[in-house]
Amino acid sequence: MGEPNATAETGTVSAALVGAARGYVGVPWRHLGRSRTGVDCIGLVLLAAHEVGVDLPDPAPYAREPQGTRLLEGILGHAARVSEVRAGDVLLFRMGLYGGHVGIASVHPAWGVPACLHAYAPRRQVVEQPMDAELRTALIGAFRLPSLSAFPEA
């Protein structure tokens, strides 16, 4: 699976999704959070998507630790799995036995490297984290929201 494409972030709806997610960097992590006072990983994807006109079903309520695939059916059930990651794609990461963590692919603005925008419980906030070995190892797949699939890369 490829790393996020730096050129795909400019001038597309995908860039708007990344921009919306970046607006949450520093917001505290909160399980089931759905506002700027606190979000979890699913909440970040839902809110950023909503800000660019993509409404996705909310799978809440759900347990803090994944207990099957129900958690992700709402978001990823409306997205196509892709083999080449573009900025704006939803990334699915393994937590234990299941895919239970999501983020939005980006290109880090300071370093120009593939990154992930996510509400990260260990850091207790939304971060834009370079795709380090830990994230790459946990990455299960990338998914493109249907409304973003129709837009070509810039």
Side-chain angles (χ1 to χ4, degrees):
M1 181 173 317
E3 298 288 350
N5 180 339
T7 62
E9 198 171 325
T10 307
T12 67
V13 174
S14 296
L17 181 64
V18 170
R22 280 188 178 137
Y24 288 87
V25 169
V27 168
W29 177 89
R30 189 180 82 223
H31 180 60
L32 296 173
R34 299 293 187 268
S35 74
R36 291 193 182 275
T37 62
V39 297
D40 64 8
C41 64
I42 298 284
L44 176 64
V45 171
L46 292 172
L47 290 169
H50 179 75
E51 286 184 21
V52 299
V54 178
D55 288 319
L56 299 168
D58 189 338
Y62 46 81
R64 164 92 168 69
E65 296 295 325
Q67 299 174 350
T69 60
R70 180 191 165 281
L71 170 65
L72 302 171
E73 290 169 0
I75 292 176
L76 301 182
H78 293 40
R81 188 174 188 138
V82 294
S83 59
E84 291 300 317
V85 180
R86 282 193 336 211
D89 288 344
V90 177
L91 303 176
L92 172 63
F93 299 94
R94 181 180 294 88
M95 285 182 65
L97 295 175
Y98 302 103
H101 182 63
V102 293
I104 298 172
S106 69
V107 176
H108 198 282
W111 301 312
V113 298
C116 176
L117 285 148
H118 59 139
Y120 194 42
R123 293 204 187 156
R124 309 300 296 169
Q125 66 181 327
V126 176
V127 297
E128 186 163 11
Q129 177 180 352
M131 288 293 291
D132 59 18
E134 178 186 7
L135 286 179
R136 285 192 309 271
T137 300
L139 183 62
I140 295 172
F143 297 80
R144 191 159 300 139
L145 299 175
S147 57
L148 302 182
S149 296
F151 293 89
E153 294 184 29

